[in-house]
């Protein structure tokens, strides 16, 4: 099942309405769980596959329990805006897919705080069939690129970040990359940790490149909570981050064992197969680690990157009135989780 980027525009539109509708709802984080544990509902942004393996490992291996937490993972496959769910109280903590969606949510008045990011480099990118290889922004000039509405905005931004006017043919496609192999398009907007995997496992050659490799940098898989929950339950948020870091480190150390955990329990009804899930995890590992996380811990976000190239990309996308990241991003959580 492709964990494709989608529904970004719908999510922004839905945010205000969903936020209002959810006000007063509780995911249970203020209520004690078994034996006094703090119950937290965590909103995923897709189905329960290995994209969240580190969290599932943290749960299965008791890392959350050691922090006094009981975590309930909420499926996100049909959620238009995870930011709306979190802002409205439907979950205490959750994933917002990328920095742009977080900024859009803040722009609608959502009082959210981001405390970390799973992906140091977004998995969004382009997939092509040899001999075509995209190595620079200029290589995309004139290409027929298969994408959806949210992908269109990203591809336009990619041109602008590189000082180019968008020059490409926008071809609407679905979740299946078949049009790429049928010759209907030259490139396919994909998550490089997902859509290429089944083809690669079949021995089919494909080329992939992330948008970050082409100059469009963005954090993805943001760990987000409301300001009110953060202020009232900061220790629980720090404990959640600490346990999540441990779960992802265990996943990095043994992707096969992590995939088995996901397949056997959390994604048991999805028909997941082990080779695909292990390969997806192996593709994720380089994107969730960086020189910055090596020094500061998994999930850490670099304030300099936020203020520099990532802000430049947001501006290039046409967004105005950007939030003060010093007020909506808290770097002390990951720091304290290391103690």
């Amino acid at each position: 099942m492709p964990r494709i980027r989608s529904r970004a525009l719908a999510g922004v539109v839905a945010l205000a309405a969903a936020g209002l509708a959810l006000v007063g709802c509780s995911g249970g984080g203020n209520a004690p769980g078994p034996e006094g544990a703090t119950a937290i509902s965590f909103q995923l942004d897709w189905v329960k596959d290995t994209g969240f393996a580190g969290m599932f490992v943290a749960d299965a291996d008791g890392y959350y329990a050691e922090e006094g937490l009981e975590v309930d993972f909420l499926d996100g496959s049909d959620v238009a805006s995870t930011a709306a769910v979190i802002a409205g109280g439907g979950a205490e903590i959750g994933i917002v897919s990328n920095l742009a969606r977080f900024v859009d949510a803040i722009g609608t008045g959502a009082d959210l705080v981001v405390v970390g990011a799973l992906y140091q480099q977004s998995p969004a990118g382009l997939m092509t069939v040899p001999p075509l290889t995209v190595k620079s922004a200029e290589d995309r000039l004139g290409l027929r690129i298969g994408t959806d509405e949210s992908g269109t905005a990203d591809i336009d931004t990619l041109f602008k970040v590189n000082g180019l006017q968008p020059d490409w043919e926008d071809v609407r496609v679905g979740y299946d990359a078949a049009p790429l192999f049928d010759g209907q398009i030259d490139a396919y907007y994909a998550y490089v940790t997902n859509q290429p995997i089944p083809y690669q496992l079949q021995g089919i050659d494909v080329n992939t490149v992330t948008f970050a490799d082409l100059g469009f940098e963005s954090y993805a898989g943001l760990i987000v909570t409301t300001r009110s929950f953060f202020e009232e339950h900061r220790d629980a948020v720090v404990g959640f981050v600490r346990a999540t870091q441990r779960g992802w480190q265990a996943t990095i150390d043994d992707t096969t064992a992590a995939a088995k955990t996901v397949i056997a329990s959390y994604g048991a009804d999805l028909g997941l197969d082990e080779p695909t899930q292990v390969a997806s995890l192996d593709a994720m590992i380089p994107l969730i680690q960086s020189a910055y996380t090596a020094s500061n811990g998994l999930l850490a976000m670099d304030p300099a990157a936020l203020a520099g190239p990532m802000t430049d990309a947001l501006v290039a996308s046409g967004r105005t009135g950007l939030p003060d990241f010093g007020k909506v991003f808290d770097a002390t959580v990951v720091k304290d989780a290391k103690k």
Side-chain angles (χ1 to χ4, degrees), residues 70 123 131 136 164 187 191 199 212-213 223 233 235 245 265-266 275:
E70 181 191 21
S136 69
L164 301 170
Y191 273 15
Y199 298 99
D213 289 335
I223 310 296
H233 304 278
D235 287 347
Q245 288 175 319
S265 301
Y266 302 86

Side-chain angles (χ1 to χ4, degrees), residues 198-269:
Y199 298 99
Q200 292 168 336
L201 290 177
Q202 294 176 52
I204 300 173
D205 288 337
V206 296
N207 295 321
T208 61
V209 61
T210 67
F211 281 12
D213 289 335
L214 297 174
F216 178 3
E217 297 185 37
S218 175
Y219 284 119
L222 275 61
I223 310 296
V224 173
T225 185
T226 61
R227 189 173 304 279
S228 60
F229 184 81
F230 179 64
E231 291 176 349
E232 294 173 19
H233 304 278
R234 187 180 185 282
D235 287 347
V237 176
V238 172
F240 178 86
V241 167
R242 182 185 296 115
T244 300
Q245 288 175 319
R246 292 178 65 192
W248 274 108
Q249 186 58 59
T251 298
I252 291 168
D253 293 341
D254 192 339
T255 54
T256 298
K260 289 179 182 293
T261 295
V262 176
I263 293 168
S265 301
Y266 302 86
D269 59 345

Side-chain angles (χ1 to χ4, degrees), residues 2-339:
R3 188 173 175 230
I4 200 168
R5 74 295 150 203
S6 62
R7 304 186 299 273
L9 188 61
V12 173
V13 173
L15 181 61
L20 291 172
L22 288 168
V23 168
C25 297
S26 173
N30 296 319
E35 301 180 3
T38 299
I40 290 177
S41 291
F42 186 86
Q43 181 62 63
L44 306 174
D45 65 346
W46 190 239
V47 297
K48 298 178 182 180
D49 63 8
T50 46
F52 310 106
M55 296 165 190
F56 298 150
V57 169
D59 186 47
D61 288 357
Y63 301 154
Y64 291 127
E66 290 178 21
E67 299 290 344
L69 305 175
E70 181 191 21
V71 182
D72 178 26
F73 297 101
L74 308 180
D75 182 276
S77 57
D78 293 323
V79 177
S81 170
T82 57
V85 174
I86 301 162
E92 283 70 46
I93 311 176
I95 292 277
V96 174
S97 298
N98 56 49
L99 192 58
R101 295 190 191 186
F102 177 77
V103 166
D104 290 342
I106 296 297
T108 69
D111 197 8
L112 299 172
V113 178
V114 57
V115 298
L118 174 58
Y119 287 100
Q120 302 299 298
Q121 178 177 329
S122 172
L126 295 176
M127 175 176 164
T128 60
V129 176
L132 178 60
T133 301
V134 175
K135 296 182 178 180
S136 69
E138 287 77 6
D139 291 339
R140 295 170 297 109
L141 293 170
L143 293 185
R144 300 168 299 163
I145 304 178
T147 187
D148 59 10
E149 192 163 8
S150 61
T152 296
D154 283 349
I155 295 167
D156 282 345
T157 298
L158 183 55
F159 275 96
K160 294 174 183 177
V161 165
N162 285 280
L164 301 170
Q165 285 299 312
D167 179 7
W168 61 290
E169 183 179 343
D170 190 344
V171 182
R172 284 289 181 264
V173 296
Y175 292 173
D176 191 343
L180 177 64
F181 299 93
D182 292 341
Q184 300 176 40
I185 55 177
D186 303 306
Y188 179 73
Y189 182 118
Y191 273 15
V192 300
T193 56
N194 190 289
Q195 282 100 331
I197 303 299
Y199 298 99
Q200 292 168 336
L201 290 177
Q202 294 176 52
I204 300 173
D205 288 337
V206 296
N207 295 321
T208 61
V209 61
T210 67
F211 281 12
D213 289 335
L214 297 174
F216 178 3
E217 297 185 37
S218 175
Y219 284 119
L222 275 61
I223 310 296
V224 173
T225 185
T226 61
R227 189 173 304 279
S228 60
F229 184 81
F230 179 64
E231 291 176 349
E232 294 173 19
H233 304 278
R234 187 180 185 282
D235 287 347
V237 176
V238 172
F240 178 86
V241 167
R242 182 185 296 115
T244 300
Q245 288 175 319
R246 292 178 65 192
W248 274 108
Q249 186 58 59
T251 298
I252 291 168
D253 293 341
D254 192 339
T255 54
T256 298
K260 289 179 182 293
T261 295
V262 176
I263 293 168
S265 301
Y266 302 86
D269 59 345
L270 297 177
L272 304 175
D273 70 275
E274 185 175 320
T276 299
Q277 296 304 302
V278 172
S280 292
L281 274 177
D282 288 339
M284 284 182 65
I285 301 307
L287 304 183
I288 66 177
Q289 297 181 99
S290 67
Y292 192 80
T293 63
S295 300
N296 296 276
L298 294 172
L299 310 181
M301 298 170 67
D302 183 357
L306 280 171
M310 295 190 190
T311 291
D312 293 343
L314 290 167
V315 171
S317 73
R319 289 173 171 83
T320 59
L322 298 181
D324 180 347
F325 283 116
K327 295 180 179 179
V328 298
F329 161 55
D330 194 299
T332 66
V333 172
V334 170
K335 180 179 179 180
D336 289 350
K338 293 181 64 178
K339 296 178 179 178

